[in-house]
Amino acid sequence: MVHECDTTDYMDQLSLSTKSARGGQIVPTGGGVGAEIRGLDLRRLDEEGFRLVHRAWINHQVLLFRGQHLSAGELIAFSRRFGTLEVAPNQETGQRFVEGHPELYIVSNVIENGRAIGSLGSGEAHWHTDMSYLTDPPKASILYALEVPPSGGDTGFVNLYAAYEALPAALQARLAGLRVKHDGTYNSGGYVRHGLTATDDPLAAPGELHPLVCTHPESGRHMLYLGRRRNAYIEGLPLPESEALLDEIWTYATREEFTWHHQWQVDDLILWDNRCTMHRRDPFDAMHRRIMHRTQIKAETRPSA
Ligand code: SIN
């Protein structure tokens, strides 16, 4: 299990490579967000170990666990420790996922018997927060790698606390009280969501309004909450003004120094805090197979300032 260090402040310990007494080791990625937890089998995590993993997740926002060997049921069981799971949204095809496991969403380019077994194909997936076009977006997502291409398909994460903190004070003040529309038309791969009509008019596009600056319910820290750039619209502003302000904010939100990019291996599992990060995916060669299972955990509270 992972052990909390008992000598100095735990937050300080987590900023270093931390070797626990009995196994788990928390190693920051060295990028702008995230840490790897080494030496843990997620099928055998006791209550104390889980508490420390949870704490590391709140502190580092994104956690990588390599070398896990999880069945669909074990992935769901680990995910459930964080809260109630979402029923996975429909794939672009309108199809539903894995027989017997409504919580599992498949991200894949694989075609079997003429049908896509998952979503997002092999193209680039643009920066986004999962399902923030809903009133109650999930608080966390977990992605588990079953098959990966030899190159490409890396997933990047960005730290939205750091992005908010980098804004000049005048810009922070300008954003206070503003809400942004999180487009529901397209998924991050640019596919129109099932049952919706394509539009590139941010005023007309369907979506949910959330505060542009939110307070994290567990850490108490402020972060930018942007969702995705396409069809975003800042409530009440003339469209050109909204576009200009969003462009300015997005230059901070995607600064390389706030990011970390992961090159996947089979049996890697990544857990991210969907409230204070965004993620994106590099394209990869469509001739190679990539199959990932994803679960999502419902939030207890709505995004709020
Ligand atoms: C996603 O955008 O949720 C999937 C990311 C990935 O396929 O790496």
Side-chain angles (χ1 to χ4, degrees), residues 89-90 129-137 181-187 193 196 206-210 225 227-228 294:
N90 275 335
T129 293
D130 282 338
M131 290 162 65
S132 62
Y133 54 90
L134 300 178
T135 310
D136 295 295
K181 190 200 284 183
H182 293 230
D183 176 53
T185 315
Y186 299 99
N187 71 15
R193 290 185 198 281
L196 293 177
E208 183 70 26
L209 287 164
H210 294 296
Y225 193 64
R228 61 197 68 220
R294 189 185 78 183

Short mmCIF file of all heavy atoms in Angstrom, two decimals, residues 89-90 129-137 181-187 193 196 206-210 225 227-228 294:
data_model
loop_
_atom_site.label_atom_id
_atom_site.label_comp_id
_atom_site.label_asym_id
_atom_site.label_seq_id
_atom_site.Cartn_x
_atom_site.Cartn_y
_atom_site.Cartn_z
N PRO A 89 -21.81 7.55 -22.16
CA PRO A 89 -22.61 8.18 -23.22
C PRO A 89 -22.59 7.33 -24.49
O PRO A 89 -21.71 6.49 -24.67
CB PRO A 89 -21.90 9.52 -23.45
CG PRO A 89 -20.51 9.31 -22.96
CD PRO A 89 -20.58 8.28 -21.88
N ASN A 90 -23.54 7.57 -25.38
CA ASN A 90 -23.55 6.86 -26.66
C ASN A 90 -22.29 7.16 -27.46
O ASN A 90 -21.78 8.28 -27.41
CB ASN A 90 -24.74 7.31 -27.51
CG ASN A 90 -26.00 6.55 -27.17
OD1 ASN A 90 -25.95 5.43 -26.68
ND2 ASN A 90 -27.12 7.17 -27.40
N THR A 129 -12.58 19.13 -21.64
CA THR A 129 -12.99 18.51 -20.37
C THR A 129 -14.11 17.56 -20.72
O THR A 129 -15.00 17.92 -21.50
CB THR A 129 -13.50 19.61 -19.42
OG1 THR A 129 -12.39 20.44 -19.06
CG2 THR A 129 -14.13 19.05 -18.17
N ASP A 130 -14.11 16.36 -20.17
CA ASP A 130 -15.14 15.39 -20.56
C ASP A 130 -16.54 15.83 -20.14
O ASP A 130 -16.78 16.17 -18.97
CB ASP A 130 -14.86 14.02 -19.90
CG ASP A 130 -13.75 13.27 -20.61
OD1 ASP A 130 -13.48 13.55 -21.79
OD2 ASP A 130 -13.15 12.37 -19.96
N MET A 131 -17.44 15.82 -21.11
CA MET A 131 -18.88 15.98 -20.88
C MET A 131 -19.28 17.25 -20.12
O MET A 131 -20.29 17.28 -19.41
CB MET A 131 -19.43 14.74 -20.16
CG MET A 131 -19.44 13.52 -21.07
SD MET A 131 -19.57 11.94 -20.23
CE MET A 131 -21.17 12.05 -19.51
N SER A 132 -18.48 18.31 -20.31
CA SER A 132 -18.81 19.55 -19.59
C SER A 132 -19.97 20.29 -20.25
O SER A 132 -20.39 21.33 -19.74
CB SER A 132 -17.57 20.45 -19.49
OG SER A 132 -17.14 20.81 -20.78
N TYR A 133 -20.48 19.76 -21.35
CA TYR A 133 -21.69 20.33 -21.97
C TYR A 133 -22.94 19.91 -21.19
O TYR A 133 -24.05 20.32 -21.53
CB TYR A 133 -21.80 19.88 -23.44
CG TYR A 133 -21.74 18.39 -23.59
CD1 TYR A 133 -22.89 17.62 -23.56
CD2 TYR A 133 -20.51 17.74 -23.72
CE1 TYR A 133 -22.84 16.24 -23.67
CE2 TYR A 133 -20.44 16.36 -23.83
CZ TYR A 133 -21.60 15.62 -23.80
OH TYR A 133 -21.54 14.25 -23.89
N LEU A 134 -22.76 19.10 -20.15
CA LEU A 134 -23.89 18.68 -19.31
C LEU A 134 -23.98 19.59 -18.08
O LEU A 134 -23.00 20.23 -17.69
CB LEU A 134 -23.70 17.24 -18.84
CG LEU A 134 -23.61 16.17 -19.93
CD1 LEU A 134 -23.36 14.80 -19.30
CD2 LEU A 134 -24.88 16.16 -20.78
N THR A 135 -25.14 19.59 -17.45
CA THR A 135 -25.32 20.36 -16.21
C THR A 135 -24.42 19.82 -15.11
O THR A 135 -23.86 20.57 -14.32
CB THR A 135 -26.80 20.27 -15.76
OG1 THR A 135 -27.62 20.57 -16.88
CG2 THR A 135 -27.10 21.23 -14.64
N ASP A 136 -24.29 18.51 -15.08
CA ASP A 136 -23.49 17.85 -14.03
C ASP A 136 -22.39 17.00 -14.67
O ASP A 136 -22.53 15.78 -14.81
CB ASP A 136 -24.39 16.94 -13.17
CG ASP A 136 -25.43 17.75 -12.40
OD1 ASP A 136 -25.02 18.53 -11.54
OD2 ASP A 136 -26.62 17.61 -12.70
N PRO A 137 -21.28 17.63 -15.04
CA PRO A 137 -20.20 16.85 -15.66
C PRO A 137 -19.52 15.93 -14.65
O PRO A 137 -19.52 16.20 -13.44
CB PRO A 137 -19.20 17.94 -16.12
CG PRO A 137 -19.90 19.24 -15.96
CD PRO A 137 -20.96 19.06 -14.92
N LYS A 181 -20.39 29.08 -22.43
CA LYS A 181 -21.17 27.94 -22.94
C LYS A 181 -20.22 26.82 -23.38
O LYS A 181 -19.27 27.06 -24.11
CB LYS A 181 -22.02 28.37 -24.13
CG LYS A 181 -23.04 27.30 -24.53
CD LYS A 181 -23.54 27.47 -25.93
CE LYS A 181 -24.55 28.58 -26.06
NZ LYS A 181 -25.06 28.66 -27.47
N HIS A 182 -20.50 25.62 -22.91
CA HIS A 182 -19.71 24.43 -23.25
C HIS A 182 -20.47 23.66 -24.32
O HIS A 182 -21.52 23.07 -24.04
CB HIS A 182 -19.51 23.55 -22.00
CG HIS A 182 -18.66 24.18 -20.95
ND1 HIS A 182 -17.59 23.53 -20.37
CD2 HIS A 182 -18.71 25.41 -20.36
CE1 HIS A 182 -17.03 24.34 -19.48
NE2 HIS A 182 -17.70 25.47 -19.45
N ASP A 183 -19.97 23.69 -25.52
CA ASP A 183 -20.68 23.15 -26.67
C ASP A 183 -20.96 21.65 -26.55
O ASP A 183 -20.07 20.88 -26.19
CB ASP A 183 -19.86 23.40 -27.94
CG ASP A 183 -20.52 22.76 -29.16
OD1 ASP A 183 -21.72 23.04 -29.39
OD2 ASP A 183 -19.86 21.99 -29.87
N GLY A 184 -22.20 21.28 -26.90
CA GLY A 184 -22.56 19.86 -26.88
C GLY A 184 -22.65 19.25 -28.26
O GLY A 184 -22.98 18.07 -28.39
N THR A 185 -22.37 20.04 -29.30
CA THR A 185 -22.57 19.55 -30.67
C THR A 185 -21.55 18.49 -31.06
O THR A 185 -21.90 17.45 -31.62
CB THR A 185 -22.46 20.71 -31.68
OG1 THR A 185 -23.18 21.83 -31.20
CG2 THR A 185 -22.98 20.29 -33.04
N TYR A 186 -20.28 18.79 -30.80
CA TYR A 186 -19.20 17.94 -31.30
C TYR A 186 -18.47 17.27 -30.15
O TYR A 186 -18.28 17.88 -29.09
CB TYR A 186 -18.16 18.78 -32.06
CG TYR A 186 -18.73 19.50 -33.27
CD1 TYR A 186 -19.08 20.85 -33.18
CD2 TYR A 186 -18.92 18.83 -34.47
CE1 TYR A 186 -19.61 21.52 -34.27
CE2 TYR A 186 -19.44 19.49 -35.57
CZ TYR A 186 -19.78 20.83 -35.47
OH TYR A 186 -20.30 21.49 -36.55
N ASN A 187 -17.99 16.06 -30.39
CA ASN A 187 -17.07 15.49 -29.42
C ASN A 187 -15.65 15.96 -29.75
O ASN A 187 -15.44 16.69 -30.74
CB ASN A 187 -17.20 13.96 -29.31
CG ASN A 187 -16.68 13.22 -30.53
OD1 ASN A 187 -15.96 13.78 -31.36
ND2 ASN A 187 -17.03 11.95 -30.63
N ARG A 193 -22.29 14.74 -32.20
CA ARG A 193 -22.86 13.78 -31.24
C ARG A 193 -24.18 13.22 -31.78
O ARG A 193 -24.92 13.93 -32.47
CB ARG A 193 -23.10 14.46 -29.89
CG ARG A 193 -21.84 14.79 -29.17
CD ARG A 193 -22.08 15.34 -27.78
NE ARG A 193 -20.88 16.01 -27.32
CZ ARG A 193 -19.80 15.38 -26.84
NH1 ARG A 193 -19.81 14.08 -26.72
NH2 ARG A 193 -18.73 16.07 -26.48
N LEU A 196 -27.68 15.05 -32.81
CA LEU A 196 -27.54 16.50 -32.92
C LEU A 196 -27.24 16.91 -34.35
O LEU A 196 -26.82 16.09 -35.17
CB LEU A 196 -26.46 17.02 -31.97
CG LEU A 196 -26.82 16.86 -30.49
CD1 LEU A 196 -25.67 17.32 -29.61
CD2 LEU A 196 -28.08 17.66 -30.14
N PRO A 206 -26.07 24.07 -29.04
CA PRO A 206 -26.58 23.66 -27.73
C PRO A 206 -25.42 23.46 -26.76
O PRO A 206 -24.31 23.11 -27.18
CB PRO A 206 -27.25 22.32 -28.04
CG PRO A 206 -26.51 21.79 -29.23
CD PRO A 206 -26.08 22.99 -30.03
N GLY A 207 -25.67 23.69 -25.51
CA GLY A 207 -24.60 23.48 -24.52
C GLY A 207 -25.01 24.05 -23.18
O GLY A 207 -26.05 24.69 -23.06
N GLU A 208 -24.16 23.82 -22.19
CA GLU A 208 -24.46 24.26 -20.82
C GLU A 208 -23.56 25.43 -20.45
O GLU A 208 -22.38 25.47 -20.84
CB GLU A 208 -24.21 23.08 -19.86
CG GLU A 208 -24.54 23.33 -18.43
CD GLU A 208 -26.04 23.45 -18.15
OE1 GLU A 208 -26.85 22.89 -18.91
OE2 GLU A 208 -26.38 24.13 -17.16
N LEU A 209 -24.12 26.38 -19.71
CA LEU A 209 -23.31 27.50 -19.21
C LEU A 209 -22.72 27.13 -17.85
O LEU A 209 -23.44 26.63 -16.97
CB LEU A 209 -24.19 28.74 -19.03
CG LEU A 209 -24.62 29.44 -20.31
CD1 LEU A 209 -25.78 30.40 -20.02
CD2 LEU A 209 -23.46 30.21 -20.94
N HIS A 210 -21.42 27.36 -17.71
CA HIS A 210 -20.76 27.16 -16.40
C HIS A 210 -19.88 28.38 -16.13
O HIS A 210 -19.43 29.05 -17.08
CB HIS A 210 -19.85 25.93 -16.44
CG HIS A 210 -20.56 24.63 -16.61
ND1 HIS A 210 -21.45 24.12 -15.67
CD2 HIS A 210 -20.51 23.71 -17.61
CE1 HIS A 210 -21.91 22.94 -16.11
NE2 HIS A 210 -21.36 22.68 -17.27
N TYR A 225 -12.29 27.08 -16.16
CA TYR A 225 -13.16 25.96 -16.53
C TYR A 225 -13.70 26.26 -17.92
O TYR A 225 -14.62 27.06 -18.08
CB TYR A 225 -14.28 25.79 -15.50
CG TYR A 225 -15.01 24.48 -15.66
CD1 TYR A 225 -14.36 23.27 -15.46
CD2 TYR A 225 -16.36 24.46 -16.01
CE1 TYR A 225 -15.02 22.07 -15.61
CE2 TYR A 225 -17.03 23.25 -16.16
CZ TYR A 225 -16.35 22.06 -15.96
OH TYR A 225 -17.01 20.87 -16.11
N GLY A 227 -13.95 23.81 -20.87
CA GLY A 227 -14.66 22.77 -21.63
C GLY A 227 -13.96 22.44 -22.94
O GLY A 227 -13.25 21.46 -23.04
N ARG A 228 -14.20 23.26 -23.94
CA ARG A 228 -13.55 23.08 -25.25
C ARG A 228 -13.68 24.40 -25.98
O ARG A 228 -14.56 25.22 -25.69
CB ARG A 228 -14.15 21.91 -26.03
CG ARG A 228 -15.62 22.04 -26.34
CD ARG A 228 -16.22 20.70 -26.72
NE ARG A 228 -16.25 19.81 -25.56
CZ ARG A 228 -15.99 18.51 -25.61
NH1 ARG A 228 -15.68 17.95 -26.75
NH2 ARG A 228 -16.04 17.76 -24.52
N ARG A 294 -12.82 3.28 -20.84
CA ARG A 294 -12.95 4.49 -20.01
C ARG A 294 -14.14 4.35 -19.07
O ARG A 294 -15.19 3.87 -19.47
CB ARG A 294 -13.15 5.71 -20.89
CG ARG A 294 -13.08 7.03 -20.11
CD ARG A 294 -13.42 8.21 -21.00
NE ARG A 294 -14.85 8.32 -21.20
CZ ARG A 294 -15.42 9.24 -21.98
NH1 ARG A 294 -14.68 10.11 -22.64
NH2 ARG A 294 -16.73 9.29 -22.12
#
